[in-house]
Amino acid sequence: MNEGSNVEFSEREALLFHSEGRPGKIEIIASKPMSTQRDLALAYSPGVAVPVRAIAEDPGKAYDYTAKGNLVAVISNGTAILGLGNLGALASKPVMEGKAVLFKRFADVDSIDLELKTEDVDRFIDAVELLEPSFGGINLEDIKSPECFVIEQTLRERMNIPVFHDDQHGTAIIAAAGLINALHLTGRDIKATKVVMNGAGAAAIACADLIKAMGLPQDNLLMLDRTGVIWRGREGVNQWQSAHAAETDRRSLADALEGADVFMGLSAAGALPAELLAKMAPRPIVFAMANPDPEITPPEAKRARPDVIIATGRSDYPNQVNNVLGFPFIFRGALDVRATTINDAMKVAAAEALAQLARQQVPEEVATAYGVQHSFGPDYIIPAPFDPRLMEIVPAAVAQAAMDSGVATKAIEDMDAYRQTLRGRLNPTTSVLTLAYEGARANPKRVIFAEGEEEVVLRAAIAFKEGGYGTPVLVGRESVHERLEALGANPNEFELHNSRNSPLVPQMVDFLYARLQRRGYLRRDCERMVNQDRNIFGALLLQLGEGDVMLTGITRTYAETMRQIRRVIDEEPDRTSFGMHVLVGQSHTVFIADTTVNERPSGEELAQIAVGAAQVARRMGHEPRVAFLSYSTFGNPEGRWLDNIRAAVKVLDEQAPGFEYEGEMAPDVALNPRQLANYPFARLSGPANVLIMPGLQSANISAKLLRELGGDATIGPMLIGMEKPIQVAAMTSSASELVTLAVLAAGGIAR
């Protein structure tokens, strides 16, 4: 229903997101090396002739020698773009690119968007049909009704690969999962349930089809369009709507709701008046799925009927009907068994798998990130959209249903091994990061932006506020108001602290003087620092409880910023503060420390850094495997700078910290399983994912080199181990990177 959330943002921020760097949201990269003449000869001529001949002899070999088996086309003609209507094929391209990104992000399915400049149904069908050799599946998107029915049905008949119109079936599958659980909670049997379907478009008809396939009797569903109930014999309805015509004398929504168990809305905002809920049966079930605003909001529904179970398409209410729970994982399972279609059995299997998942105990990382402990009940009948178990459970159920129903052309012999493979396809960090944003919205904090006069900081503060992640507390002079206005924001909606007129200044000076009077500072020095240094002033706001988190770093070097902060805030007791960069790829994450703070840490400090880094890795969904890096591997070659590393290992040996660690090790041994196998006594069970560097110089150089050359996304540096949550960003940080640091700190992941 809703593939994202209702997060607010400015138009400028949205356009910058899509235009900065490489325009758009997707690119194509080679999956094989292309460095040498030999690589090119194998990839193209003459080497490519070998797989060409093999595929000509056996077309099934295309799945072995090309990307076909993991490639889906997202296709639209732009006739029904989101809630914007018919804006044309070209205007739909940002949406289709976004859909392609979701396929990759959630299920590791490669996808390409194709926008067809035609509203002629036959031309559209012909164009898509001719693409069959290129793709393993077709995802149709944003095509108006009723043409979408003709297009999908015809393509399913003509093509031997899955064709799936997500606007119809995605919504139906997620809604069906919620309905299964709502019926379970209210003790209803679907065969005796009475359903009112308000709406008669593509998604509504797909919902009706699916719940009837699950056992709902034909006349137990009353479908309404703008005119009223679609009854048997009524004129002015199309063939897909007439298939759901019921034998009834009811004509209006009020008539239809008399004694109904379930209301399913795919119509318009406000279409369900609260007073009509009184007509429904005890413990009514309401799926108000109009986008972006539901037929009735949960607060309105619960005031009218406290016993209601309600779902919507919105992320700011419980029970979100979100298509992203379905289509990536459905295609994942269909592709993995080379299904020729996506049939009702596969859709029902997906719905049942989602329903069962919602009944299981919610993983700790999901509960922590959302700030609430989800558990199965009236407010949790549909899984959280970013539950990491989706990737394992839904594709496996779909693949099994495809095999059982005879549409799979490749069998999965070992389903347990397949589920293990699914778990390894995605990087848990990406789920945790998304969950962190969701958690920030569920448990918003006050974040002090200490450099509030800088445009990039103001853009971050605006995005932080409009995203619903918390309250930005800006530090700056009066000119901040003008700069906010220039960025299209309302200055009156932002909290500003100015050291020239803040009533907190005397208290700040007293606090700072008490800390520094025995370090050579006079009271007038403290007054000057409070009035003139934004980092001192911001850190004091944090100390005095005016904010929960502080973010700075744009206008000063890291070392200078840390010196200023330490005049106000200490390290946590018995901890060494340090900086960490996190490198995030599609299927891996590597944590590198200490990249910012300690120039030549002692053995004890290295051990504390390792413990702190391992804790962050666990909070981001990884079981830490720590390697203390060096130019030497277990003394080969010998050198002068190994004692502190060996001392760190001894400290951990005495502490038994509960995670794997080893050292000293060269990077290739730590990261390459073949190299690691040369040392059978090594204590790492696999490649290291937490790299503890011997000194600041090597750590900082390595992190920046990997960021520029490695191709992974980089988070950080994150500051770990301070008494108060503070993040010191890189001077070159973008607004988006600042928001991520603020969210991670506010959510307790970076601490």
Side-chain angles (χ1 to χ4, degrees):
M1 183 64 203
N2 196 352
E3 287 161 15
S5 70
N6 61 317
V7 174
E8 297 179 359
F9 43 79
S10 68
E11 290 188 5
R12 184 174 187 269
E13 196 70 23
L15 293 175
L16 282 171
F17 177 86
H18 286 83
S19 63
E20 282 184 330
R22 184 190 296 267
K25 300 186 288 291
I26 62 174
E27 65 175 318
I28 294 175
I29 60 172
S31 61
K32 299 295 189 293
M34 294 291 163
S35 305
T36 67
Q37 182 62 37
R38 178 175 175 78
D39 294 338
L40 296 177
L42 286 166
Y44 193 53
S45 182
V48 75
V50 179
V52 166
R53 286 193 294 266
I55 294 169
E57 293 174 6
D58 179 2
K61 292 295 183 183
Y63 290 91
D64 299 322
Y65 301 132
T66 76
K68 177 181 173 74
N70 196 51
L71 190 60
V72 168
V74 178
I75 305 180
S76 180
N77 62 1
T79 53
I81 304 173
L82 300 176
L84 303 174
N86 185 351
L87 298 182
L90 185 59
S92 75
K93 188 169 180 63
V95 182
M96 300 311 116
E97 282 188 358
K99 192 83 171 193
V101 169
L102 294 178
F103 267 113
K104 189 66 176 178
R105 158 65 179 82
F106 284 96
D108 194 26
V109 172
D110 295 320
S111 181
I112 191 74
D113 63 293
L114 298 172
E115 293 75 34
L116 301 184
K117 187 181 177 182
T118 181
E119 294 187 24
D120 183 285
V121 169
D122 292 330
R123 291 185 69 194
F124 189 101
I125 291 170
D126 290 343
V128 177
E129 181 186 3
L130 294 172
L131 295 171
E132 182 170 344
S134 299
F135 298 98
I138 303 292
N139 185 96
L140 301 173
E141 193 78 15
D142 289 358
I143 303 168
K144 68 180 180 179
S145 172
E147 288 90 333
C148 60
F149 301 117
V150 178
I151 288 170
E152 187 194 41
Q153 184 58 42
T154 306
L155 289 173
R156 290 183 64 187
E157 292 169 359
R158 293 186 186 179
M159 301 181 78
N160 208 35
I161 58 175
V163 178
F164 185 83
H165 185 209
D166 186 50
D167 296 328
Q168 297 179 58
H169 308 298
T171 301
I173 290 164
I174 313 310
L179 181 61
I180 290 170
N181 281 336
L183 295 176
H184 174 81
L185 287 170
T186 57
R188 289 179 166 100
D189 182 345
I190 194 170
K191 293 180 181 178
T193 298
K194 295 180 180 179
V195 178
V196 173
M197 182 72 66
N198 197 54
I205 289 172
C207 285
D209 287 338
L210 187 58
I211 61 177
K212 287 180 179 179
M214 292 164 51
L216 185 78
Q218 169 72 16
D219 285 337
N220 280 26
L221 183 141
L222 298 181
M223 179 176 285
L224 293 90
D225 61 9
R226 290 183 178 88
T227 303
V229 173
I230 298 174
W231 44 274
R232 204 161 293 156
R234 198 190 107 178
E235 296 181 355
V237 295
N238 62 43
Q239 66 187 82
W240 299 278
Q241 296 166 338
S242 65
H244 296 290
E247 192 66 54
T248 180
D249 59 0
R250 302 189 185 197
R251 297 294 183 262
S252 68
L253 179 60
D255 294 340
L257 285 173
E258 192 71 49
D261 300 294
V262 180
F263 170 91
M264 300 187 82
L266 286 147
S267 50
L272 178 60
E275 58 269 19
L276 291 188
L277 290 179
K279 293 177 171 291
M280 296 183 69
R283 301 197 73 186
I285 298 165
V286 173
F287 281 72
M289 298 177 285
N291 190 14
D293 297 312
E295 286 82 358
I296 187 170
T297 66
E300 291 171 330
K302 290 186 177 182
R303 280 195 296 269
R305 287 294 298 263
D307 59 342
V308 71
I309 295 177
I310 182 167
T312 72
R314 290 177 52 149
S315 64
D316 52 349
Y317 295 128
N319 300 326
Q320 183 190 13
V321 179
N322 189 330
N323 283 20
V324 83
L325 288 162
F327 70 85
F329 312 110
I330 292 164
F331 267 99
R332 177 76 277 153
L335 291 171
D336 290 341
V337 293
R338 300 178 189 174
T340 58
T341 188
I342 295 173
N343 58 22
D344 282 347
M346 296 160 74
K347 297 172 198 172
V348 172
E352 290 176 342
L354 288 167
Q356 287 295 326
L357 180 58
R359 300 185 196 185
Q360 297 176 19
Q361 184 175 350
V362 176
E364 182 180 354
E365 61 264 35
V366 176
T368 300
Y370 274 101
V372 293
Q373 182 61 56
H374 291 302
S375 59
F376 180 59
D379 287 335
Y380 193 73
I381 58 173
I382 300 171
F386 305 103
D387 191 322
R389 298 170 298 175
L390 287 163
M391 178 58 166
E392 174 188 353
I393 290 172
V394 180
V398 171
Q400 187 65 59
M403 291 188 289
D404 293 344
S405 61
V407 298
T409 61
K410 175 187 175 184
I412 295 175
E413 303 294 341
D414 187 337
M415 191 57 70
D416 289 336
Y418 173 58
R419 289 165 70 111
Q420 181 66 38
T421 301
L422 291 170
R423 282 196 292 272
R425 288 195 82 120
L426 292 182
N427 185 349
T429 299
T430 56
S431 291
V432 171
L433 288 174
T434 306
L435 286 166
Y437 275 89
E438 293 293 315
R441 296 183 67 230
N443 188 24
K445 299 290 178 65
R446 292 169 56 83
V447 174
I448 298 166
F449 291 82
E451 299 159 311
E453 295 172 0
E454 304 300 315
E455 179 178 335
V456 67
V457 174
L458 288 178
R459 283 177 48 209
I462 292 168
F464 187 81
K465 176 184 176 297
E466 292 184 343
Y469 308 126
T471 301
V473 179
L474 302 176
V475 173
R477 306 301 188 197
E478 294 85 351
S479 62
V480 170
H481 289 125
E482 298 172 9
R483 297 178 186 187
L484 283 168
E485 257 186 306
L487 292 171
N490 182 354
N492 297 323
E493 295 179 354
F494 288 82
E495 182 177 333
L496 177 64
H497 288 257
N498 184 346
S499 62
R500 287 177 179 167
N501 55 28
S502 172
L504 298 171
V505 166
Q507 187 180 355
M508 290 178 172
V509 173
D510 290 343
F511 180 94
L512 192 60
Y513 183 52
R515 278 181 60 87
L516 301 182
Q517 59 190 347
R518 293 183 179 276
R519 301 188 204 174
Y521 291 90
L522 301 176
R523 186 175 183 86
R524 65 171 179 264
D525 299 322
C526 296
E527 291 172 345
R528 175 183 51 78
M529 285 188 285
V530 170
N531 281 301
Q532 297 182 10
D533 194 300
R534 65 186 84 187
N535 285 328
I536 297 288
F537 184 77
L540 285 164
L541 284 174
L542 187 64
Q543 279 283 25
L544 297 178
E546 294 297 317
D548 302 302
V549 176
M550 174 178 159
L551 183 65
T552 187
I554 293 297
T555 61
R556 297 283 190 278
T557 65
Y558 202 98
E560 175 62 21
T561 301
M562 285 298 297
R563 280 194 292 272
Q564 294 166 342
I565 288 170
R566 280 175 162 162
R567 289 172 184 158
V568 182
I569 296 174
D570 296 322
E571 294 178 334
E572 276 195 279
D574 302 320
R575 288 189 71 179
T576 296
S577 63
F578 64 94
M580 171 184 285
H581 279 78
V582 186
L583 305 180
V584 183
Q586 175 66 22
S587 58
H588 67 273
T589 291
V590 177
F591 303 84
I592 304 177
D594 169 20
T595 56
T596 57
V597 179
N598 301 283
E599 186 170 0
R600 177 62 68 174
S602 66
E604 178 69 32
E605 288 171 332
L606 282 173
Q608 290 180 352
I609 291 168
V611 170
Q615 290 172 345
V616 175
R618 279 201 169 122
R619 288 195 288 270
M620 297 188 80
H622 298 266
E623 187 57 36
R625 293 185 296 274
V626 175
F628 291 92
L629 293 191
S630 171
Y631 59 85
S632 172
T633 300
F634 304 121
N636 181 24
E638 297 180 354
R640 297 169 49 202
W641 305 104
L642 304 178
D643 289 346
N644 60 337
I645 302 174
R646 292 170 179 171
V649 174
K650 288 182 180 178
V651 169
L652 293 185
D653 286 343
E654 294 170 1
Q655 293 179 351
F659 57 81
E660 296 180 16
Y661 58 92
E662 189 57 282
E664 70 280 3
M665 308 174 77
D668 55 342
V669 177
L671 297 172
N672 188 325
R674 292 191 299 273
Q675 296 281 4
L676 184 62
N678 294 323
Y679 303 90
F681 56 86
R683 293 177 284 192
L684 297 183
S685 62
N689 54 12
V690 179
L691 307 180
I692 307 301
M693 309 295 278
L696 182 59
Q697 187 177 30
S698 58
N700 196 270
I701 290 171
S702 297
K704 290 179 178 178
L705 272 174
L706 289 169
R707 181 182 64 199
E708 297 301 324
L709 301 177
D712 288 348
T714 304
I715 302 170
M718 296 191 298
L719 179 58
I720 312 297
M722 298 297 289
E723 223 172 21
K724 297 281 186 178
I726 291 182
Q727 289 303 313
V728 180
M731 295 178 70
T732 56
S733 297
S734 67
S736 178
E737 289 167 336
L738 293 177
V739 172
T740 296
L741 276 180
V743 166
L744 291 176
I749 292 175
R751 63 175 188 265

